[in-house]
Amino acid sequence: MSDSDDSGTDFDWRDVVHYPGIDEVPRGQEDAFIRSARAELQTRYRTDIESLKETFPTEFGSIKAVQDPDTVNETLQDIIMAFPESVRDTIKIPASVIEYLFLTGDTEATASADFGLPIVTNEPHPEVPGYLKIELDYDECSDELDTYPLYIKLVQQRGKASKKKATDDSLGRLFLGTKTGLKPTNCDFEEFISKWARFMCEDFVEADAVGAAVVEFLHAI
């Protein structure tokens, strides 16, 4: 992808989406696999969203899905164009990220809310190519979040040891920024959203200190 693609007229989110496991699907069964994967992701996200709405009706009561899937084209193109040109052709957006954007993309922030949904930014890691920042939206602990930023890996690396397994498992995995570098977490984006929703509905509501609770959550994922 070159800088001449800025207009976005030829950009299609379907060209950059990655469904884990699609490489092992027999020829001719890809469409059925994708439909099943999308349904599973949407069901899981809707369950998480409903939990958030029930627990925090004021803050999360206005979560809205996009009406036209192609409206995410501009968002995804902005993400890819934010990366150095040398890695743009290797960027893949996990299906879990795209389905999240589909189900939350028209959400309007509540003016009085002190926190909101995690944000898929267009901010690459400043030093490590291929990692994109996932921003947590809390008014009370911005310093803590600056200390421990969260990133998702979007570069698809080819494996060398096994011909059968051509890609590594870290595509789509979340990493926590620390003073010594990027620390891998135990979850991908889909798992992270579910863990975060559970954290908000269970631990966050009981927390005395927002910053400490959020940092503890980040180090536990």
Side-chain angles (χ1 to χ4, degrees), residues 7-84:
S7 64
T9 54
D10 298 326
F11 186 86
D12 190 331
W13 62 268
R14 298 164 187 84
D15 296 333
V16 297
V17 63
H18 175 76
Y19 293 88
I22 190 69
D23 296 330
E24 286 77 41
V25 175
R27 186 182 300 274
Q29 298 181 22
E30 294 91 347
D31 288 347
F33 177 87
I34 289 173
R35 285 195 299 270
S36 176
R38 291 197 64 191
E40 184 176 337
L41 283 168
Q42 290 174 8
T43 297
R44 188 167 182 177
Y45 281 147
R46 286 193 174 101
T47 299
D48 295 333
I49 288 171
E50 288 307 312
S51 296
L52 290 168
K53 286 183 175 181
E54 291 176 6
T55 307
F56 305 97
T58 302
E59 290 80 2
F60 295 118
S62 61
I63 299 176
K64 296 179 181 178
V66 298
Q67 299 301 309
D68 178 5
D70 288 339
T71 58
V72 304
N73 279 341
E74 184 176 353
T75 298
L76 296 181
Q77 187 180 34
D78 286 345
I79 288 173
I80 292 176
M81 295 302 292
F83 284 96

Side-chain angles (χ1 to χ4, degrees), residues 128-158:
V128 185
Y131 290 77
L132 183 75
K133 187 176 183 180
I134 302 296
E135 188 173 281
L136 295 186
D137 185 12
Y138 294 96
D139 289 347
E140 293 185 29
C141 57
S142 58
D143 291 342
E144 290 91 337
L145 295 176
D146 287 341
T147 303
Y148 298 106
L150 201 59
Y151 291 90
I152 183 171
K153 184 178 180 182
L154 300 183
V155 173
Q156 191 173 36
Q157 295 177 329
R158 294 290 172 182

